[in-house]
Amino acid sequence: MTGYQGPQVPPESLRTIKRLAAERDAVILSHYYCRPEIHEVADFVGDSLGLSQEAAKRKCKVIIFCGVHFMAETASLLCPDKTVILANIDAGCPMADMVVPGDLAKRKEELPGVPVLTYVNSSASVKALSDICCTSANVVKVLRSLDAQTILMTPDKNLATYAQKLVPEKKVLTWPGFCPTHHRLNLKEILELKAAYPQAEVVAHPECQPKILAETNVIGSTSGLIKHCSESEKKEFIILTEEGVLHPLRKRNQDKVFYTPATAMICPNMKKNTLADVIKALETLTPVIKVPDESRGPALKAVERMMAVPRD
Ligand code: 13P
Ligand code: SF4
């Protein structure tokens, strides 16, 4: 039996990407939810927090970001001296669009003195109105790091509810945002999967609804879940997050089995990034992602405050 390899990158495309990346002094960063072939050409594949950290520390002139808009924007905030390019300009995040500056400013007026904790899945203009950011990898530590007793968390109500459970000493006010890819999982199919594979460990991303998370064994960021499954002595897992994680999971764990729900967990935006987009981005050095001047300072402050807090 041959082991899992996943889709292969055509050698000609690989050569072109490597040559152009060297000529441009470019580093290619990919989120785990991107297509497997994008993982294969990337210099680094990671979760939202890992990608921000990597963008900040890499010594290069250009970053080609394979992910969604807010991720490239965060890289641009952290790397003012680098040209940050989003491989596919149409790759947005519907959850990030569920909070806009006008609505957040209004809510802040209703809640004087309440700090705003914003998930990185948000625009820079929303981050600019926030006190601090978090990702799924550091949400608990960020929440605990705040002096305030009551905190408004935007935009993901599922992540906020998950964090509230782990930090009961604070009061977390939620915002009605959610990730359509994770939110659509239904409880019945999870219960059926668990019944079919009772020996499997259930691992999930905190963007899932609370009723789904209540049925799981392990909750974490994409890299947290991959690390857990890779280090665990268990051999079977039910994976409740976007299917992009399956490529590294299967590649690193040839002796393990990963089950997925019948509801396809695919983020259509992450999948917009293609090899052709990467080649075009390297050739043209467009589209460049820039943060509006009026948002840059305060948004960077909220992101840097987060970066100072260690990962969960
Ligand atoms: P993480 O990779 O940070 O867990 O984020 C998941 C996600 O939905 C990114 O959009
Ligand atoms: Fe946004 Fe969900 Fe896609 Fe992540 S998986 S980019 S939260 S829509």
Side-chain angles (χ1 to χ4, degrees):
M1 200 179 85
T2 52
Y4 172 85
Q5 289 297 318
Q8 299 299 294
V9 179
E12 182 57 31
S13 302
L14 189 59
R15 272 196 298 276
T16 305
I17 289 170
K18 294 288 168 209
R19 174 179 57 78
L20 286 169
E23 281 170 21
R24 301 298 202 190
D25 189 15
V27 162
I28 301 169
L29 302 182
S30 169
H31 189 268
Y32 283 119
Y33 294 164
C34 286
R35 297 163 184 272
E37 58 271 30
I38 296 288
H39 296 198
E40 294 302 311
V41 299
D43 298 290
F44 179 81
V45 187
D47 66 4
S48 309
L49 184 58
L51 289 165
S52 295
Q53 290 167 328
E54 202 63 25
K57 77 172 185 224
R58 285 279 175 160
K59 302 234 174 308
C60 60
K61 285 199 185 119
V62 174
I63 291 176
I64 306 291
F65 217 111
C66 300
V68 290
H69 193 272
F70 76 80
M71 294 181 170
E73 222 182 27
T74 307
S76 172
L77 276 174
L78 290 166
C79 313
D81 51 338
K82 295 171 192 153
T83 303
V84 178
I85 294 162
L86 181 59
N88 187 308
I89 194 62
D90 295 327
C93 169
M95 186 209 292
D97 296 338
M98 291 178 191
V99 54
V100 294
D103 291 345
L104 180 54
K106 225 158 70 201
R107 188 76 181 114
K108 281 176 61 160
E109 272 175 27
E110 294 164 1
L111 297 167
V114 172
V116 179
L117 164 56
T118 290
Y119 194 23
V120 285
N121 298 38
S122 54
S123 67
S125 49
V126 163
K127 289 183 176 78
L129 292 176
S130 309
D131 295 273
I132 188 165
C133 291
C134 72
T135 74
S136 57
N138 60 14
V139 58
V140 170
K141 284 197 174 148
V142 169
L143 197 51
R144 287 200 178 117
S145 77
L146 299 173
D147 286 336
Q149 222 277 316
T150 303
I151 291 116
L152 170 64
M153 200 170 152
T154 71
D156 188 1
K157 61 180 179 183
N158 293 330
L159 183 70
T161 306
Y162 159 74
Q164 173 72 88
K165 269 215 160 107
L166 295 180
V167 190
E169 64 276 19
K170 307 261 184 204
K171 180 160 177 49
V172 181
L173 306 176
T174 61
W175 188 272
F178 59 89
C179 163
T181 299
H182 288 83
H183 202 77
R184 78 169 71 97
L185 268 186
N186 74 73
L187 185 56
K188 190 170 164 276
E189 65 179 319
I190 304 310
L191 295 176
E192 282 167 5
L193 257 183
K194 284 178 66 166
Y197 307 108
Q199 68 286 9
E201 200 168 39
V202 186
V203 306
H205 195 277
E207 287 175 12
C208 294
Q209 295 187 65
K211 64 183 177 196
I212 304 289
L213 295 181
E215 296 297 327
T216 62
N217 303 107
V218 179
I219 300 169
S221 74
T222 50
S223 63
L225 296 179
I226 293 167
K227 186 168 184 285
H228 171 81
C229 295
S230 303
E231 291 174 357
S232 169
E233 282 174 6
K234 296 257 181 192
K235 295 285 180 209
E236 294 176 54
F237 302 85
I238 294 171
I239 305 295
L240 304 181
T241 190
E242 211 274 354
E243 53 136 63
V245 299
L246 293 168
H247 179 57
L249 279 173
R250 291 189 170 134
K251 232 177 135 175
R252 285 179 212 177
N253 301 286
Q254 305 271 342
D255 60 330
K256 297 185 181 179
V257 185
F258 301 97
Y259 305 107
T260 56
T263 297
M265 293 192 73
I266 296 174
C267 174
N269 282 282
M270 289 284 188
K271 303 303 190 231
K272 284 179 184 166
N273 298 278
T274 64
L275 286 178
D277 291 331
V278 174
I279 293 173
K280 194 160 169 232
L282 283 164
E283 278 169 350
T284 63
L285 292 188
T286 60
V288 175
I289 302 301
K290 280 210 184 307
V291 178
D293 282 346
E294 63 280 12
S295 300
R296 171 167 278 284
L300 179 60
K301 207 165 144 201
V303 170
E304 282 181 337
R305 247 187 109 184
M306 167 190 84
M307 303 277 276
V309 178
R311 295 182 68 114
D312 283 344

